[in-house]
């Protein structure tokens, strides 16, 4: 995953050595029901809620409503240095529907791509599932379990990503590890993933203000000296024209702040503490261009069910994660995952360490997934507990070509592993799709989890 977030006109900011809470807008989390299953046809509904990531939130003066951060620039008077910024700025509650286009109804979550609010224009969103207490993230251990959801991405064109995935965030958003973080998971703090993003305003309860530079192609984003890293299981990254599920691992456990080479930026991509490429299963990239898409075997013009099974070597939750299987259900029909069809590569239809090694060899890719621990490390992360993330976003780095088009673009598309979907290499430009596809959206619904075979 290449995370990206953009927020137009509505400012958001960060403070060092603390994340204070404002009082101008009450925080009310949208309710979302999920089901925990114990066996086939035996599932119990649980009332949960979702919370918006802190990076999207308005941060303002603790003494009023002046922005601490506007566009991609810190306010020099409120934030002349990290310490002063901490004292001057607070994160606040949000209007989920009116400002961010986030709505729930029963077991369904709807995320709009562009929302024109009363004072601002918002691009994309990222939310986390909260536990029953409505203040900490629901933490999942999916070893020897399956996770199932319905998705409707019929309104999600090239260049967009409706994502559902897990990351190894702290359950309280880092509040207990970093006591000066007063906001915590109730306000969506503590994000991390294997891209070690530098655009997060608060990391380890401190502002990422040092070395901050505004983005050259996103007027609302920037990056600081530090990144925030952790293990990541991408269950679903997709639009109408392409989809992938991808485990990514790190050499560290839990949310970890990085700097320098640790972050794996630029030419040091394969020298960092996390595997940014991951081990992806994208049906198109793996040789079946008739499997998933509009009018294909899995017809993305209609809602369908995605089932992901996390098998262990001893078929127990105590075992080592050894295989990730995928199947689909649409119109009452169970659809097995596609099979690989790559010259010189054995046939696979699931993610195993053997599949990952064979894929990396066939495509000539660097295998940091194996060197950083492979599926066993992914299982270790689940054992610790992982938070559920759902988002909709566009890509200011490479226009989502890595998901739905040919990437990289400087080599022939006929090279193994380069073609990833049918979208044009000129598609996905954020300035274009934010205008032409402003009405895009994704719906995730009917989330279920439990033992293998219990959720569908």
């Amino acid at each position: 995953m290449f995370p990206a977030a953009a927020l137009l006109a509505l400012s958001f900011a960060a403070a060092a050595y603390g994340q204070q809470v404002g009082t101008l807008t009450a925080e009310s989390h949208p309710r979302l029901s999920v089901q925990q299953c114990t066996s086939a046809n035996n599932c119990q509904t649980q009332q949960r809620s979702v919370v918006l990531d802190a990076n999207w939130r308005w941060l303002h003066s603790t003494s009023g409503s002046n922005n601490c951060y506007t566009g991609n620039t810190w306010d020099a008077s409120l934030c002349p240095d990290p310490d002063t910024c901490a004292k001057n700025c607070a994160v606040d509650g949000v209007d989920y529907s009116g400002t961010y286009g986030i709505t729930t109804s029963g077991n369904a979550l709807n995320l709009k791509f562009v929302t024109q609010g009363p004072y601002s224009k918002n691009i994309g969103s990222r939310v986390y599932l909260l536990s029953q207490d409505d203040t900490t993230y629901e933490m999942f251990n999916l070893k020897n379990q399956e996770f199932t959801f319905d998705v409707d991405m019929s309104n999600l064109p090239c260049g967009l990503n409706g994502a559902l995935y897990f990351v190894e965030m702290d359950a309280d958003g880092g509040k207990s590890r970093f006591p000066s973080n007063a906001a915590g998971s109730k306000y969506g703090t503590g994000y991390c993933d294997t891209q070690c993003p530098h655009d997060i305003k608060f990391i380890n309860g401190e502002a990422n203000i040092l070395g901050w530079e505004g983005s050259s192609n996103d007027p609302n984003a920037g990056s600081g000296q530090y990144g925030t890293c952790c293990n990541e299981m991408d269950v679903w990254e997709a639009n109408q024209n392409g989809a992938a599920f991808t485990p990514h691992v790190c050499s560290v456990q839990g949310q970890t702040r990085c700097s320098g080479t640790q972050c794996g930026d630029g030419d040091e991509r394969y020298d960092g503490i996390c595997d940014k490429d991951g081990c992806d299963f994208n049906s198109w990239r793996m040789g079946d261009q008739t499997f998933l898409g509009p009018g294909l075997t899995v017809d993305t013009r209609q809602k369908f069910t995605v089932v992901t099974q996390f098998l262990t070597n001893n078929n127990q939750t105590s075992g080592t994660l050894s295989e990730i299987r995928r199947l689909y259900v649409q119109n009452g029909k169970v659809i097995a995952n596609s099979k690989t069809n790559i010259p010189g590569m054995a046939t696979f239809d699931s993610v195993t360490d053997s599949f990952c090694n064979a894929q990396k060899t066939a495509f000539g890719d660097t295998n940091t997934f194996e060197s950083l621990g492979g599926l066993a490390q992914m299982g270790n992360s689940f054992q610790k507990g992982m938070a559920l993330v759902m988002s909709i976003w566009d890509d200011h780095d490479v226009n989502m070509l890595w998901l739905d088009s040919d990437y990289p673009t400087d080599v022939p598309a006929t090279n193994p592993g380069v073609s990833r979907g049918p979208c044009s290499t000129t598609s996905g430009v954020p300035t274009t799709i934010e205008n032409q596809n402003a009405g895009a959206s994704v719906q995730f619904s009917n989330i279920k989890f439990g033992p293998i075979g219990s959720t569908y």
Side-chain angles (χ1 to χ4, degrees):
M1 162 171 277
F2 298 81
L7 185 61
L8 299 179
L10 182 66
S11 301
F12 49 83
Y17 313 121
Q19 292 167 275
Q20 300 183 55
V21 177
T23 58
L24 298 184
T25 303
E27 176 70 3
S28 180
H29 300 135
R31 307 300 293 175
L32 181 69
S33 63
V34 300
Q35 289 191 305
Q36 184 168 13
C37 305
T38 55
S39 59
N41 302 315
N42 187 11
C43 300
Q44 301 298 316
T45 299
Q46 301 177 338
Q47 294 302 320
R48 296 291 186 262
S49 58
V50 295
V51 60
L52 178 69
D53 183 283
N55 231 37
W56 268 259
R57 294 173 182 269
W58 178 34
L59 279 96
H60 56 79
S61 167
T62 54
S63 61
S65 58
N66 292 329
N67 294 334
C68 290
Y69 180 95
T70 302
N72 55 22
T73 305
W74 296 90
D75 183 280
S77 60
L78 290 170
C79 294
D81 59 75
D83 240 352
T84 306
C85 192
K87 298 173 184 176
N88 287 344
C89 299
V91 66
D92 222 312
V94 300
D95 176 356
Y96 279 83
S97 175
T99 301
Y100 297 95
I102 300 167
T103 58
T104 59
S105 177
N107 65 20
L109 168 70
N110 293 279
L111 303 176
K112 292 179 63 177
F113 177 42
V114 178
T115 302
Q116 182 63 60
Y119 308 107
S120 62
K121 181 180 181 181
N122 177 69
I123 309 295
S125 60
R126 183 168 65 220
V127 301
Y128 312 118
L129 186 70
L130 290 171
S131 62
Q132 189 174 8
D133 65 15
D134 198 43
T135 58
T136 58
Y137 302 132
E138 182 85 5
M139 304 304 284
F140 289 84
N141 177 7
L142 293 177
K143 289 202 302 180
N144 201 45
Q145 303 282 296
E146 67 185 24
F147 186 91
T148 296
F149 62 95
D150 293 348
V151 63
D152 184 344
M153 54 183 191
S154 59
N155 191 31
L156 209 59
C158 294
L160 290 177
N161 190 337
L164 183 150
Y165 59 108
F166 294 91
V167 294
E168 200 179 337
M169 300 163 65
D170 290 359
D172 64 359
K175 191 173 183 179
S176 59
R177 274 206 296 156
F178 311 106
S180 54
N181 173 4
S185 45
K186 181 179 178 180
Y187 290 87
T189 69
Y191 183 73
C192 56
D193 64 37
T194 47
Q195 303 306 314
C196 301
H198 289 259
D199 66 335
I200 305 301
K201 307 299 188 300
F202 288 100
I203 301 176
N204 289 9
E206 301 178 4
N208 198 16
I209 193 171
L210 299 177
W212 187 270
E213 295 183 1
S215 169
S216 61
N217 65 356
D218 185 346
N220 307 284
S223 61
Q225 173 179 323
Y226 298 110
T228 178
C229 316
C230 64
N231 291 291
E232 173 182 359
M233 177 64 226
D234 292 329
V235 173
W236 189 250
E237 292 192 279
N239 58 45
Q240 194 179 84
N241 299 283
F245 64 102
T246 312
H248 299 256
V249 295
C250 303
S251 61
V252 295
Q253 288 293 137
Q255 181 273 325
T256 302
R257 188 171 72 175
C258 72
S259 63
T261 301
Q262 290 179 319
C263 300
D265 300 323
D267 292 339
E268 296 180 315
R269 182 176 181 87
Y270 300 109
D271 300 321
I273 59 176
C274 290
D275 166 38
K276 295 193 173 188
D277 290 356
C279 174
D280 65 301
F281 199 109
N282 172 331
S283 294
W284 180 290
R285 188 180 188 218
M286 297 315 302
D288 190 340
Q289 300 183 359
T290 66
F291 183 70
L292 183 144
L296 301 183
T297 303
V298 178
D299 187 355
T300 57
R301 299 173 303 180
Q302 307 174 42
K303 182 187 293 187
F304 54 90
T305 301
V306 181
V307 182
T308 310
Q309 301 174 327
F310 298 87
L311 283 75
T312 61
N313 62 342
N314 64 358
N315 297 318
Q316 302 290 327
T317 56
S318 61
T320 300
L321 183 64
S322 59
E323 183 179 10
I324 303 174
R325 292 181 183 170
R326 166 60 53 81
L327 56 88
Y328 302 87
V329 183
Q330 189 170 44
N331 297 323
K333 178 184 177 182
V334 177
I335 304 169
N337 193 31
S338 62
K339 296 183 183 297
T340 58
N341 181 25
I342 300 296
M345 184 176 174
T347 301
F348 298 90
D349 59 6
S350 65
V351 171
T352 61
D353 284 332
S354 295
F355 161 78
C356 297
N357 294 341
Q359 183 211 57
K360 299 295 185 181
T361 299
F363 294 165
D365 293 338
T366 302
N367 195 355
T368 49
F369 182 75
E370 180 184 37
S371 62
L372 292 177
L375 285 183
Q377 179 72 336
M378 189 81 265
N380 292 338
S381 185
F382 271 124
Q383 188 75 42
K384 186 175 183 291
M386 301 186 80
L388 174 61
V389 187
M390 291 167 282
S391 67
I392 183 171
W393 57 285
D394 58 358
D395 181 1
H396 284 262
D397 291 328
V398 295
N399 303 338
M400 217 70 74
L401 302 181
W402 58 270
L403 176 66
D404 60 20
S405 185
D406 300 332
Y407 188 80
T409 57
D410 59 353
V411 297
T414 53
N415 285 11
V418 173
S419 182
R420 300 153 188 259
C423 299
S424 167
T425 55
T426 61
S427 67
V429 178
T431 52
T432 300
I433 58 178
E434 288 169 11
N435 288 290
Q436 295 183 359
N437 303 113
S441 62
V442 64
Q443 181 189 86
F444 298 109
S445 61
N446 201 26
I447 293 171
K448 298 181 181 181
F449 49 95
I452 304 296
S454 66
T455 66
Y456 71 98

